[in-house]
Amino acid sequence: MPNRVVVKEQKTIWGSCSSKGNINLNWRLVMMPLDVIDYVIVHELCHLKHPNHSKGFWNLVREFMPDFEGKRRWLKENGARLFSY
């Protein structure tokens, strides 16, 4: 369970998870498909257990969202356009 969740302006990232268990989400997520928003949230929640991008982290993401690669690809291909708002 996160300590706190905040939606705010973030210049280059979609979300982050601090060592204190605080999750920050970029307000621009509202412009994404719902399944991509779900991926970003799952990604950050998994950082509560694995504060890195280790194999264990990605296995945990996959456990909750087996098809996460497609959502991650969508972010890489389309995400930068949302920063022009």
Side-chain angles (χ1 to χ4, degrees):
M1 208 58 178
N3 180 43
R4 188 171 77 142
V5 177
V6 176
V7 176
K8 64 184 198 173
E9 172 84 18
Q10 292 179 289
K11 301 276 185 206
T12 59
I13 59 174
W14 300 114
S16 62
C17 181
S18 76
S19 60
K20 295 180 180 179
N22 298 324
I23 292 180
N24 297 308
L25 298 171
N26 193 317
W27 69 265
R28 290 175 177 85
L29 289 171
V30 301
M31 297 185 279
M32 293 183 186
L34 289 176
D35 60 335
V36 177
I37 297 170
D38 288 345
Y39 161 68
V40 172
I41 292 170
V42 165
H43 182 108
E44 298 310 329
L45 288 171
C46 288
H47 277 309
L48 293 171
K49 184 169 183 177
H50 296 279
N52 50 47
H53 288 108
S54 65
K55 185 176 180 179
F57 168 82
W58 290 112
N59 286 340
L60 187 59
V61 171
R62 185 173 285 107
E63 186 177 322
F64 289 101
M65 185 172 277
D67 59 343
F68 79 89
E69 287 98 343
K71 283 84 168 140
R72 189 168 184 229
R73 192 173 322 110
W74 189 95
L75 276 174
K76 286 185 179 192
E77 293 171 358
N78 302 286
R81 289 186 280 163
L82 299 179
F83 280 103
S84 62
Y85 290 94

